[in-house]
Amino acid sequence: MPDIQRGGRKSVIENVHVFDGAGFTECRFVVIDGGMIGSNPQGAEEIIDRHGRFLIPRLIDAHVHLHHEGHLQELASYGVTTALDMAMWPADKMNGLRENPGLPDIRSAGLPGTAAGSIHSCMLPLPEEALLSGPEQAESFVQRRITEGSDYIKLISDVPGPVQETLNAVSPAAHRKHKMVVAHASAIKPFNMALEANADIITHVPRDEPIATATVQRMAENKVVSVPTLTMMQATSSRPPLSAALGMMVSKPSLFMAILRAKRNGRGEQTHENARDSVMAMYRAGVPILAGTDCHDEPNSFFEVKHGMALHRELELLVEAGLAILDVLRAATILSAEHFKIFDRGIIAEGKRADLVLLREDPTKDILASRSIDRVWCAGIEFMHIA
């Protein structure tokens, strides 16, 4: 177990370049006053001189899957101090991972909505209430998630999966309760269904063909946000070993058949290049792009996307897709905070949470420098076990 330093003290970090969203400032100091960013260095218990290193706000992974405290520790060790979980149940598990001093802060969708016979219903041991059979269930599904403490509503748009009328009913039910809707969609038909359903954020991008120009324009006009998870799209574009596919046929035949049905509904070969090209088109059209990975460690999964480590790979893939490095850094900091309406973080400013990542090298020169982590603070508490 990593050693977590006790928080609540006043510290001053001196001689650091500070990321302000447009680049790094000249060297200055930053005050950590308890769990917040302060302004007055007087009375500091600790002076930290970092000799021209680079201070950025907390990194935010906009698509994670959490199961235990160890995942929070892995995230923090790579500088991820806010995790936006996209499926967690039961509610006491979700709420039990919140507000752990010295560890990442989390938001969660709680239980996602899908339908019987979908890939996710065959893959996961989902309770009955997650399987939506018609639009009449939308209101109660949304209300139950809010009662349990969900921060936003997660829909799984897939074929097979919930029909369009059901998807269309969930978004207004959520919006009436002032909750955003995040829709999963990793193929072109489900992606268009999620857009038709007025989802606020669509996570993943199609692998079977690039998004059409008209669709991209519609996203920009409707201010729909994308979390492309290129790390996972790259991983799932590769074919699993034949032995794994044969094992699935025997151990989980319903899942195997659901995957085959989904592939038949695709438009073309599933490739990472299709996903990358969609990201490039959305970025050029002004669609907000957020950094998220779909990190998980599900047993028997074909694909490894590790907590914490994967976000740095995501930043690299976004740069490869054509995003400017400054916009990639914003995608993992201030933009994710803004679009998920978490207004106490994402920038280094007085009154914001003291969630900070100190780097040895300048990531605006080379995005690989995001991995050069020196120190990490979660709400003013230094996390001592750096990857």
Side-chain angles (χ1 to χ4, degrees):
M1 294 286 288
D3 177 32
I4 307 296
Q5 179 179 314
R6 298 177 66 85
R9 62 192 305 179
K10 188 172 187 178
S11 304
V12 177
I13 310 171
E14 292 186 335
N15 295 321
V16 287
H17 301 282
V18 176
F19 185 70
D20 61 6
F24 282 100
T25 67
E26 294 299 319
C27 281
R28 47 168 281 205
F29 68 84
V30 172
V31 178
I32 299 175
D33 195 349
M36 311 298 288
I37 302 293
S39 59
N40 183 2
Q42 298 299 316
E45 302 170 63
E46 180 184 25
I47 305 295
I48 305 166
D49 191 331
R50 299 320 287 166
H51 309 291
R53 293 192 174 182
F54 301 87
L55 193 67
I56 63 173
R58 63 166 58 204
L59 293 173
I60 300 174
D61 191 329
H63 188 139
V64 306
H65 291 281
L66 302 171
H67 297 294
H68 49 72
E69 187 178 298
H71 288 159
L72 299 180
Q73 294 167 354
E74 290 170 21
L75 289 166
S77 72
Y78 284 91
V80 180
T81 61
T82 294
L84 304 179
D85 177 80
M86 290 299 157
M88 194 183 337
W89 66 94
D92 58 354
K93 175 182 174 181
M94 171 178 70
N95 294 320
L97 288 178
R98 298 184 190 270
E99 299 181 5
N100 280 282
L103 290 177
D105 186 34
I106 74 164
R107 300 291 188 273
S108 181
L111 186 68
T114 183
S118 69
I119 290 176
H120 287 78
S121 72
C122 299
M123 182 188 309
L124 304 172
L126 289 165
E128 187 70 26
E129 63 182 300
L131 307 179
L132 306 179
S133 58
E136 68 281 355
Q137 294 177 293
E139 199 76 40
S140 60
F141 174 79
V142 168
Q143 185 56 58
R144 183 68 181 272
R145 304 288 74 75
I146 293 171
T147 300
E148 291 178 345
S150 294
D151 299 289
Y152 36 84
I153 305 302
K154 170 78 177 291
L155 272 178
I156 299 174
S157 179
D158 217 342
V159 181
V163 297
Q164 188 71 63
E165 292 77 12
T166 300
L167 295 175
N168 290 355
V170 171
S171 288
H175 293 157
R176 284 192 292 271
K177 301 291 186 179
H178 308 291
K179 294 293 182 182
M180 295 187 304
V181 173
V182 180
H184 158 105
S186 59
I188 196 68
K189 185 173 181 179
F191 195 94
N192 289 332
M193 291 174 70
L195 189 58
E196 182 67 27
N198 291 321
D200 302 286
I201 298 171
I202 303 180
T203 186
H204 311 307
V205 282
R207 300 186 311 260
D208 52 342
E209 69 176 51
I211 302 170
T213 300
T215 302
V216 172
Q217 291 173 345
R218 183 179 177 186
M219 292 180 71
E221 290 167 2
N222 294 346
K223 297 180 169 53
V224 178
V225 177
S226 173
V227 184
T229 67
L230 286 176
T231 305
M232 180 58 78
M233 298 300 93
Q234 185 178 62
T236 54
S237 294
S238 60
R239 295 192 177 191
L242 179 60
S243 59
L246 293 173
M248 181 188 292
M249 288 177 62
V250 174
S251 63
K252 292 187 175 181
S254 60
L255 175 58
F256 183 79
M257 294 306 298
I259 291 173
L260 285 183
R261 289 196 297 273
K263 285 185 176 294
R264 284 199 293 267
N265 281 301
R267 300 284 183 87
E269 183 183 359
Q270 297 190 6
T271 68
H272 171 69
E273 289 72 24
N274 286 335
R276 181 202 61 202
D277 291 349
S278 292
V279 171
M280 188 180 303
M282 289 189 293
Y283 176 65
R284 288 174 175 169
V287 174
I289 307 290
L290 310 184
T293 64
D294 199 10
C295 58
H296 69 290
D297 65 358
E298 298 290 344
N300 304 317
S301 173
F302 296 152
F303 314 107
E304 265 198 352
V305 179
K306 294 291 189 181
H307 293 80
M309 180 190 304
L311 185 63
H312 298 278
R313 178 58 180 155
E314 186 71 20
L315 303 185
E316 295 159 20
L317 289 173
L318 289 172
V319 170
E320 290 176 14
L323 274 68
I325 289 181
L326 278 176
D327 288 331
V328 170
L329 292 173
R330 286 168 53 80
T333 54
I334 189 170
L335 290 184
S336 287
E338 287 179 352
H339 288 291
F340 275 88
K341 304 184 189 306
I342 315 174
F343 298 119
D344 65 344
R345 64 201 68 183
I347 59 173
I348 300 174
E350 183 181 359
K352 302 295 185 181
R353 278 175 59 109
D355 294 321
L356 304 166
V357 182
L358 187 64
L359 303 175
R360 293 185 295 274
E361 301 167 21
D362 183 353
T364 66
K365 305 297 184 186
D366 183 348
I367 196 61
L368 290 173
S370 72
R371 299 173 181 260
S372 65
I373 298 171
D374 182 20
R375 301 174 80 158
V376 174
W377 291 265
C378 298
I381 301 176
E382 186 173 355
F383 187 88
M384 304 299 289
H385 186 71
I386 305 302

